[in-house]
C-alpha cells in the first residue's frame, strides 16, 4: 500500500492522553483539506519519467508535507497531510490503492484525492471509492482504504486529509523516508506559546535534514525539510523501518496554565507520573476498586504456600482466566482491577497491572517495566515518551531471582518472554526510572531436535516413524493456547505433510507443554504407492528441519541493512535409513563442517554395510539473532548457503549390486 512506509507514524496513542488533559470536545478546525486549491503541479513533475539514482523505482514521492497545529486549549489540534506520488511504471500502478489508519482517539476528516493522467486530465476521487474499512489488529484501529482513479504509468496521484485529536499532546514521529524515493518531505509544527516543547530528530549518517524556527508573540513555528531522500531498503529480515528511517518527534515538555508550569514529558520521572495518574485515571485509578482481586490473590497465596508457587498461580489466573485484547501500549483508561475481573478480558497493560496488584496483595514484591518489541523498533532513552512502548511487564523478586512476567501473552509460561522482547532496552518504573537491558537467550535454550527412522522395503516402498521436540522460542513459534487438541493435531499434520512431499503422514500425536515451553510431536510415514520407483529410493537427509532456500542470497557488497532474526537457535537432527538384502547405497552425502563467528553447520555420516543401515546427523546453530556489518552478514550468508545446499542432498539406494562398492 502507498503509505506502508509511513504506517509506524500512524496515530495510535492510548486514551490516557485524553484523560491526562481532561478534554472531551467536539472537533472543528480549518486547514488546507477544506480548501479548493491544490499545490500546483510543476512541469518538472509532469515530465519526470525515471530517477537516475533509482532506475528500478516503481514510483517516487514528489512531495510529502505535514502540518501539526496544536491548539492551546486542546479543542482543535490537528495534523494535516498532503502527498503527491508519480507512478513510473506498470508495477507502480498498485500504489493507487491507499490505506490510512484511523480510530477513536485520532479521527480522519476531509479526505480529498485526484489523479493527473498523462494526457492532461484531472480525475477527482469520488465518494464511491471511499472507503473499504478493515481492522488492523497490530494497531488496534481501523484501516481506511480507497482506490485512486485512472492510475497508470506516468500518472500523478495526490491526496490530502486531516487527523483530529482531543488533546494538545502529540508524540508520534514524522518519517521523512519510506519504501519509495522521496524528493521533498516537510513537517511544520505550529506550537502555542504556553506549551514548552522539544523537537527531536533522528537522522541516519549521510542524510541531511534541515530545520528552521520562527518565534512569534504567542506561538512558535518549527519546520523540518528533507530533500532527495533514498528509500529504506526492502531487504529480507532487516531491522525495523523505524530504526532505519530519518524522522523527527515533537514532544510536549511542559504546559503553562493559570500562572504555573506543569511538567509533561520533560523527563522520565514526569512521563511516568502522567501515566501513573491519580485516583481518577491511570495506574493509580486502576487500583481504586480491587476488593475482589485482593481476595482472589490472598486465596491463591494460601493454597500455594511458597511465594514462588503463589506467584505462579496468580500469573496463570491472570493469563488464562482473563482473555487478552490485543491492544499495544502501556497506558490504561477508566477501569479498575475488579472491572477487569468482572469483564473477563483486558489488554496487555491492564492484565499486567492486575498481576502487579495481585502480587502486592499476596505480599510478593514486584515492579512494573516498560518495553518495546525489537521488531517494532528500538526504544529511545533520550526521548521521554511513554507511548513509544508497547508492553507493560511485571518484574517479580522471588527466592533471590528476578522474573520478568508477561501475562498478556497467552502462549508464554511463567518467567518466559517472547523472543521479540529480548535484546532490548527496558525501563523499570521506580522513584527514579532505571534503564536496563533484557539479554538474549542462549541458542541452546531454543532447540529443535528431530529423529527419523526410514525403512526401505524389498519392492522400493519406504515407511518410517519420526519425532520432534521443540523448546524455548522454537516452541513459542508454534504454540497457540487458543487451539483445541484437534486443531493442534491438524496444525502439525499440515506442517509435516509440507515437509514430506510424496508421503502419507499418519498417527500424528502432538503434546504442547505450555508451562515448560516445549512441544513433542510424533508421527508415522508411508511413501505413496505412485511415488515408489521400484529399483531406486531417494531419501532426504534433513526433513523435517530442512532449509528450503537461502534467504540471504543477496551478495555481501549489496547488503545495506543489518539483519534481525527472531531468536538464536540450535537444530539437531538424525535420519537413520535401513534397507533389505539385495539393496545398497549408490549415493551417500559427504561429511561437512563450517564454523563461523555467527554459527556453525555440521554433517556427520555413520553406518554399517554389513548390517545395512546408514545415519546422517545434522546440526545447525545460529549464535545471535542480530547481525550488524558486512563481515557478520557474509558469515551468515555462507552459513545458510552451506546448510541449504547440504540439506538438499539425498541418500540414494538401488536394488541389486550397483552400489555395492560405495
Amino acid at each position: 500500500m502507498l503509505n506502508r512506509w509511513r504506517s509506524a507514524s500512524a496515530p495510535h496513542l492510548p486514551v490516557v492522553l485524553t484523560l491526562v488533559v481532561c478534554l472531551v470536545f467536539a472537533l472543528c478546525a480549518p486547514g488546507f483539506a477544506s480548501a479548493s486549491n491544490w499545490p500546483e503541479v510543476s512541469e518538472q513533475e509532469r515530465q519526470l519519467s525515471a530517477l537516475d539514482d533509482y532506475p528500478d523505482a516503481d514510483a517516487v514521492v514528489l512531495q510529502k508535507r505535514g502540518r501539526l497545529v496544536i491548539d492551546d486549549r486542546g479543542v482543535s489540534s490537528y495534523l494535516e497531510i498532503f502527498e503527491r506520488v508519480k507512478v513510473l511504471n506498470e508495477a507502480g500502478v498498485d500504489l493507487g490503492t491507499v490505506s490510512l489508519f484511523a480510530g477513536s482517539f485520532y479521527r480522519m476528516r476531509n479526505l480529498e484525492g485526484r489523479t493527473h493522467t498523462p494526457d492532461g486530465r484531472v480525475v477527482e476521487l469520488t465518494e464511491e471509492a471511499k472507503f473499504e474499512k478493515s481492522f488492523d489488529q497490530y494497531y488496534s484501529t481501523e484501516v481506511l482504504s480507497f482506490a485512486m482513479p485512472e492510475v497508470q504509468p506516468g500518472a500523478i496521484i495526490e491526496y490530502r486529509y486531516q487527523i483530529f485529536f482531543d488533546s494538545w499532546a502529540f508524540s508520534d514521529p514524522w518519517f521523512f523516508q519510506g519504501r519509495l524515493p522521496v524528493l521533498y518531505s516537510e513537517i511544520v509544527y505550529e506550537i502555542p506559546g504556553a506549551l514548552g516543547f522539544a523537537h527531536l530528530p533522528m537522522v541516519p549518517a549521510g542524510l541531511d535534514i534541515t530545520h528552521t524556527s520562527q518565534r512569534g508573540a504567542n506561538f512558535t513555528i518549527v519546520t523540518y525539510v528533507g530533500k532527495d531522500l533514498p528509500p529504506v531498503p526492502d531487504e529480507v529480515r532487516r531491522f525495523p523501518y523505524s530504526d532505519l528511517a530519518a524522522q523527527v518527534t515533537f514532544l510536549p515538555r511542559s504546559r503553562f496554565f493559570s500562572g504555573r508550569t506543569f511538567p509533561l514529558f520533560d523527563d522520565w520521572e514526569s512521563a511516568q507520573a502522567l501515566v501513573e495518574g491519580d485516583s481518577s485515571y491511570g495506574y493509580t485509578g486502576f487500583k481504586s476498586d480491587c476488593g475482589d482481586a485482593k481476595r482472589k490473590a490472598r486465596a491463591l497465596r494460601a493454597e500455594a504456600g511458597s511465594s514462588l508457587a503463589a506467584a505462579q498461580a496468580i500469573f496463570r489466573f491472570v493469563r488464562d482466566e482473563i482473555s487478552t485484547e490485543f491492544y499495544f501500549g502501556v497506558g490504561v483508561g477508566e477501569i479498575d482491577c475488579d472491572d477487569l475481573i468482572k469483564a473477563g478480558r483486558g489488554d496487555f497493560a491492564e492484565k499486567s497491572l492486575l498481576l502487579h496488584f495481585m502480587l502486592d496483595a499476596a505480599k510478593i514484591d514486584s515492579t512494573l517495566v516498560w518495553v518495546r518489541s525489537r521488531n517494532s523498533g528500538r526504544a529511545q532513552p533520550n526521548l521521554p515518551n511513554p507511548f513509544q512502548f508497547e508492553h507493560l511487564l511485571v518484574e517479580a523478586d522471588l527466592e533471590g531471582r528476578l522474573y520478568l512476567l508477561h501475562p498478556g501473552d497467552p502462549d508464554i509460561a511463567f518467567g518466559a518472554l517472547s523472543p521479540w522482547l529480548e535484546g532490548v532496552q527496558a525501563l523499570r518504573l521506580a522513584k527514579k526510572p532505571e534503564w536496563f537491558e533484557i539479554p538474549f537467550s542462549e541458542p541452546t535454550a531454543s532447540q529443535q531436535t528431530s529423529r527419523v527412522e526410514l525403512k526401505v522395503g524389498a519392492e522400493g516402498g519406504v515407511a518410517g516413524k519420526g519425532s520432534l521436540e521443540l523448546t524455548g522460542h522454537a516452541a513459542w513459534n508454534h504454540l497457540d493456547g487458543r487451539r483445541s487438541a484437534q486443531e493442534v493435531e491438524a496444525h502439525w499434520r499440515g506442517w509435516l505433510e509440507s515437509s514430506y512431499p510424496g508421503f502419507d503422514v499418519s498417527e500424528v500425536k502432538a503434546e504442547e507443554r505450555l508451562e515448560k515451553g516445549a512441544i513433542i510431536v510424533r508421527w508415522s510415514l508411508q511413501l505413496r504407492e505412485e511415488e515408489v520407483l521400484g529399483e531406486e529410493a531417494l531419501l532426504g537427509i534433513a526433513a523435517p528441519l530442512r532449509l528450503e532456500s537461502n534467504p540471504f542470497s543477496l551478495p555481501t557488497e549489496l547488503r545495506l541493512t543489518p539483519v534481525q532474526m527472531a531468536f538464536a537457535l540450535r537444530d539437531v537432527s538424525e535420519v537413520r535409513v535401513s534397507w533389505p538384502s539385495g539393496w545398497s547405497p549408490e549415493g551417500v552425502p559427504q561429511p561437512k563442517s563450517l564454523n563461523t563467528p555467527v554459527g556453525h553447520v555440521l554433517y556427520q555420516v555413520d553406518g554399517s554395510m554389513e548390517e545395512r543401515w546408514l545415519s546422517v546427523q545434522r546440526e545447525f546453530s545460529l549464535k545471535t539473532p542480530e547481525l550488524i556489518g558486512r563481515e557478520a552478514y557474509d558469515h551468515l550468508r555462507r552459513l545458510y548457503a552451506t546448510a541449504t545446499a547440504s540439506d538438499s542432498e539425498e541418500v540414494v539406494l538401488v536394488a541389486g549390486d550397483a552400489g555395492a562398492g560405495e
Side-chain angles (χ1 to χ4, degrees), residues 29 82 88 94 133 143 211 325 348 366 393 565 597 599 623 642:
F82 165 74
L88 300 177
D94 291 341
K133 292 189 178 183
V143 179
H211 85 276
E325 296 179 332
F348 290 138
S366 67
L393 306 182
M565 312 281 276
K623 295 180 180 179
T642 300

Side-chain angles (χ1 to χ4, degrees), residues 67-79 106 163 165 167-171 188-197 218-220 250-252 255 264:
R67 177 169 166 255
L68 178 65
V69 179
I70 302 296
D71 179 73
D72 188 32
R73 302 166 300 160
V75 177
S76 56
S77 298
Y78 61 95
L79 171 68
Y106 286 110
I163 296 172
F165 50 99
S167 172
W168 34 252
F170 185 91
S171 57
V188 178
Y189 297 117
E190 296 188 12
I191 315 301
L195 196 66
F197 65 93
N218 298 308
F219 64 88
T220 300
F250 162 79
L251 198 64
R255 170 81 156 83
L264 300 174

Side-chain angles (χ1 to χ4, degrees), residues 54 65 117 144 154 228 230 314 402 630 654-655:
Y54 309 101
R65 298 176 182 268
T117 64
L144 307 178
D228 300 323
I314 294 171
L402 291 176
R630 288 190 171 181
V654 297

Side-chain angles (χ1 to χ4, degrees), residues 222-466:
V222 178
T223 303
Y224 274 85
V225 174
K227 298 180 181 179
D228 300 323
L229 301 172
V232 174
D234 188 17
E235 296 178 331
V236 64
R237 297 182 184 174
R238 59 162 169 77
F239 272 38
Y241 165 73
S242 60
D243 283 345
L244 303 174
Q247 59 195 269
V248 62
T249 301
F250 162 79
L251 198 64
R253 295 285 204 188
S254 60
R255 170 81 156 83
F256 185 77
F257 183 72
S258 297
R260 294 177 55 194
T261 298
F262 296 88
L264 300 174
F265 306 122
D266 190 44
D267 52 29
W268 284 112
E269 288 90 335
S270 58
Q272 176 182 324
L274 282 177
V275 179
E276 287 181 338
D278 58 27
S279 59
S280 63
Y281 78 95
Y283 296 178
T284 304
F286 183 85
K287 301 175 184 179
S288 61
D289 187 4
C290 294
D292 292 343
K294 184 180 294 186
R295 284 186 287 273
K296 182 66 176 179
R298 290 175 176 173
L300 291 172
R301 175 62 192 259
E303 294 172 6
S306 71
S307 295
L308 178 58
Q312 292 170 333
I314 294 171
F315 173 84
R316 288 193 296 270
F317 168 77
V318 177
R319 183 194 64 192
D320 301 337
E321 302 301 322
I322 310 296
S323 64
T324 300
E325 296 179 332
F326 287 86
Y327 185 89
F328 293 77
V330 297
V332 295
E334 294 178 309
I335 188 172
D336 58 52
C337 46
D338 279 2
D339 290 337
L340 196 65
I341 291 177
K342 290 173 185 175
R345 63 182 184 274
D347 62 32
F348 290 138
E350 291 165 350
K351 290 184 69 170
S352 287
L353 278 178
L354 177 60
L355 175 62
H356 177 56
F357 176 83
M358 292 181 70
L359 290 175
D360 182 67
K363 301 190 182 306
I364 297 171
D365 291 336
S366 67
T367 306
L368 295 172
V369 173
W370 289 343
V371 65
R372 180 182 174 97
S373 300
R374 275 190 303 123
N375 57 339
S376 296
R378 270 63 178 170
Q380 299 181 43
N382 68 325
L383 193 67
N385 171 19
F387 305 110
Q388 64 179 299
F389 297 104
E390 298 171 318
H391 298 273
L392 181 64
L393 306 182
V394 179
E395 184 182 56
D397 187 351
L398 297 160
E399 300 180 1
R401 177 183 169 186
L402 291 176
Y403 293 83
L404 281 171
L405 309 176
H406 191 357
D409 191 329
D411 304 318
I412 285 293
F414 181 90
L417 292 175
S418 139
W420 297 115
L421 298 183
E422 295 183 345
V424 299
Q425 292 290 317
L427 188 66
R428 181 183 291 116
L429 303 190
K431 186 174 182 180
K432 184 174 179 58
E434 304 168 349
W435 285 94
F436 70 101
E437 184 173 350
I438 301 176
F440 287 118
S441 298
E442 293 295 323
T444 52
S446 299
Q447 183 162 308
Q448 302 181 118
T449 304
S450 73
R451 309 235 183 269
V452 179
E453 291 191 9
L454 299 174
K455 295 183 178 181
V456 178
E459 304 301 322
V462 181
K465 292 184 178 295

